[in-house]
Every structure is written in structure tokens, then in C-alpha cells.
Amino acid sequence: MRPEPTGGAVPSVEQLAEQLDPATTVLLTVECQQGVVGQDSALPELAAQARASGVLHRIARLVAAAHESGVQVLHAVAERRPDGRGANHNARLFHAAAKLPVQQHTGTTAVRIAPPIEVADEDLVVRRLHGLSPLAGTDVDALLRNLGCRTLVVTGVSANVAIPNAVFDAVNLGYTAVVPRDAIAGVPADYIPAMVRNTLALVATITSADDVLSCWKGPRRA
């Protein structure tokens, strides 16, 4: 029997502020790259949803606020070697992606972080050549631990695959996952609220971009 997503899914302002302490929080952007959410995306429906819904703009605001308040930002990028070495071939998604007109090839414009998100010198960028998750099989967990991270704020795309993967992996690794529901995008748009309510709310703190921004107001911490 599945438990109802109540209780801790909606924390008080004080609880959220404690979870989002800049000293122990990392903001993760997932696949916010030009070849995914940019104007020349390999996935135009997803890109259009991310832009028209305001998700990409809200992520940019969160990144800017993180820079101002001293929260570490980590950008997770999915890419592929032109020869495909090391890439997965064990799911329909990978076969479909290999046939798309825009490829996320290493070193190309497609794997650069998409505007209006700005990448600061202190940001970390982790690139993966395989799999579905920004955490599993990458350097992210080691980096988070070395940074003293306790809370991971997960934003980006897609709410269909990579975002749930990131949340589950973060929770399995012992981090508190926070998901601003209006800073993730997927297709179709009406799938996202149900997925958040019935899946992510069971394991993560669900909030809004504005609530996160409110917690990060104030002078930058050293």
C-alpha cells in the first residue's frame, strides 16, 4: 500500500530555511544545456515547455541567487563522444537519442549551458557519457561530500527521467533532496504535477523557486 505524500513534504518556512543553509547546500542543474533546452534543441517539445513555462528563467534566477548567497552550483551535463564509445545501448531512449538531428557531442555548442543561465567561475560542471542519472557513476557524490553538502536542490530536465533519477540517487546516498516544483520541466506538461505529488513528494522536500529564493536572500556567506 502506497503511503500518502503528506507530512514532511511541505516544511515550514523555518524548516526550509534550515535545510537550505548556504553552507551545506548545493544547487544542481540537470541537462540545462543548449542541445536540450536551447533554441536548437534535439528535443524541441521539451525545450519549448522549459521556456514557455518559465522553468528555464526560474532556474537562471536560482543560479544567480546561489551565486549571491554563496551556495555552490553544480551543472550536470549529458554528452556523447562522436564515436559513441562508452554510451549506453540498453534502452529505447538511447537508440532514439542516437538518431536525433542534434547530437550532444563533447566540445560542441550543444553541451554548453543554455542562456539565460549564467555559469560562474566557482561553479562545477560534471559531464557524463553514459546512463540516465547525473549522480550514479559520476563524480557528483564525491564532490558533494568534499563540499560538505547535506542538501541537494534539484532543478532542470527532464521530469520524465533524469530528475527522478537524481532525486532517488541523492536520497539513497544520504542527502536531503529539495525540488522546486516550478523549476523542473518534462513532457507532457500535465504529467509533472502527478509525478511530483505521487512520487517525488514521498522522498523529497517539495517547494517553489520563490520559496528557495526567499531562503537565500541576504549577504553572501564566506
Side-chain angles (χ1 to χ4, degrees):
M1 182 175 180
R2 182 183 62 80
E4 289 301 314
T6 57
V10 183
S12 67
V13 174
E14 293 77 15
Q15 288 172 326
L16 185 63
E18 183 178 357
Q19 286 185 353
L20 294 175
D21 179 356
T24 56
T25 298
V26 171
L27 173 64
L28 175 69
T29 76
V30 179
E31 296 180 28
C32 292
Q33 57 206 71
Q34 294 194 37
V36 176
V37 296
Q39 297 291 349
D40 298 318
S41 170
L43 303 164
E45 185 180 3
L46 177 61
Q49 171 62 21
R51 291 179 173 277
S53 64
V55 163
L56 202 59
H57 175 69
R58 282 186 283 272
I59 294 171
R61 290 177 60 210
L62 287 167
V63 169
H67 292 158
E68 287 293 322
S69 61
V71 173
Q72 179 66 53
V73 179
L74 193 157
H75 305 282
V77 174
E79 57 185 52
R80 178 185 176 94
R81 285 172 51 113
D83 61 11
R85 287 182 181 273
N88 285 66
H89 303 282
N90 57 336
R92 291 174 55 198
L93 178 63
F94 302 122
H95 291 287
K99 298 175 182 177
L100 292 172
V102 177
Q103 290 293 305
Q104 315 299 319
H105 285 165
T106 301
T108 66
T109 301
V111 297
R112 295 177 185 172
I113 301 301
I117 299 170
E118 295 188 0
V119 181
D121 290 340
E122 62 265 30
D123 291 1
L124 297 172
V125 180
V126 175
R127 304 177 183 277
R128 77 178 195 274
L129 294 172
H130 63 87
L132 299 170
S133 172
L135 274 73
T138 72
D139 293 333
V140 170
D141 180 39
L143 293 173
L144 294 179
R145 294 188 187 283
N146 288 345
L147 290 164
C149 176
R150 294 175 57 190
T151 299
L152 187 65
V153 181
V154 181
T155 67
V157 300
S158 74
N160 305 77
V161 178
I163 296 300
N165 263 266
V167 171
F168 293 149
D169 286 344
V171 172
N172 285 333
L173 290 167
Y175 301 102
T176 296
V178 173
V179 180
R181 65 175 71 83
D182 53 353
I184 60 173
V187 289
D190 59 5
Y191 165 73
I192 303 171
M195 186 276 294
V196 170
R197 182 176 60 253
N198 295 293
T199 301
L200 296 189
L202 300 175
V203 295
T205 296
I206 306 301
T207 185
S208 69
D210 281 345
D211 285 345
V212 175
L213 290 169
S214 295
C215 291
W216 288 347
K217 286 181 179 177
R220 180 186 179 97
R221 301 189 186 186

